[in-house]
Amino acid sequence: MTTPAAALVAAPATLRRAGADPLRQAVEHLGHSLPRRADATVLLDFLEDDLREGLEALGDVEAHFSDVLEALQPDTLSQLSLLQAGDDYLVLERLEMLIDVVTRLRRRLSQAAGLMRQTPTT
């Protein structure tokens, strides 16, 4: 089962060929509101990387919960399936990563907002 976050992260590989990467389009849309400066370009690159990293981690967390739900189904319910579903340290690592990514996104979005104030309105 593909989760929403996993689908958004997986889509760019397929959509890039068609030129329709929704995450990239969102970042480019922000880029049109920022001044044409090197620091703004770097900020946009970091923002895109953080969004992709966060969505990938979120997809892993969603997959973990899907695995837990699957382990609880009558045809797969067993002591072993419950122990295996509950023994996923990767999800804890991904949650820690999400905290870091959200903190970076907050900082980067604040920086983008500050740059937008410097952009003359038309």
Side-chain angles (χ1 to χ4, degrees), residues 61-91:
V61 172
E62 287 178 316
H64 168 73
F65 281 94
S66 294
D67 291 346
V68 170
L69 289 174
E70 185 177 322
L72 297 173
Q73 296 303 309
D75 56 335
T76 58
L77 186 60
S78 69
Q79 290 173 325
L80 181 59
S81 69
L82 293 177
L83 290 173
Q84 288 175 334
D87 191 29
D88 190 354
Y89 289 104
L90 172 66
V91 74

Side-chain angles (χ1 to χ4, degrees), residues 6 12 15-16 24 26 35-37 56 61-63 67 80 87 95 107:
L15 294 175
R16 245 183 247 134
R24 167 121 341 134
R36 304 279 187 251
R37 299 184 345 205
E56 184 178 318
V61 172
E62 287 178 316
D67 291 346
L80 181 59
D87 191 29
L95 285 169
R107 185 180 66 245

Side-chain angles (χ1 to χ4, degrees), residues 21-72:
D21 179 349
L23 197 148
R24 167 121 341 134
Q25 287 176 343
V27 172
E28 286 176 357
H29 181 70
L30 172 61
H32 294 302
S33 299
L34 300 180
R36 304 279 187 251
R37 299 184 345 205
D39 60 337
T41 301
V42 171
L43 175 64
L44 291 171
D45 288 342
F46 282 141
L47 181 65
E48 182 177 351
D49 289 346
D50 288 341
L51 285 168
R52 288 192 193 286
E53 185 178 356
L55 286 168
E56 184 178 318
L58 187 57
D60 290 342
V61 172
E62 287 178 316
H64 168 73
F65 281 94
S66 294
D67 291 346
V68 170
L69 289 174
E70 185 177 322
L72 297 173

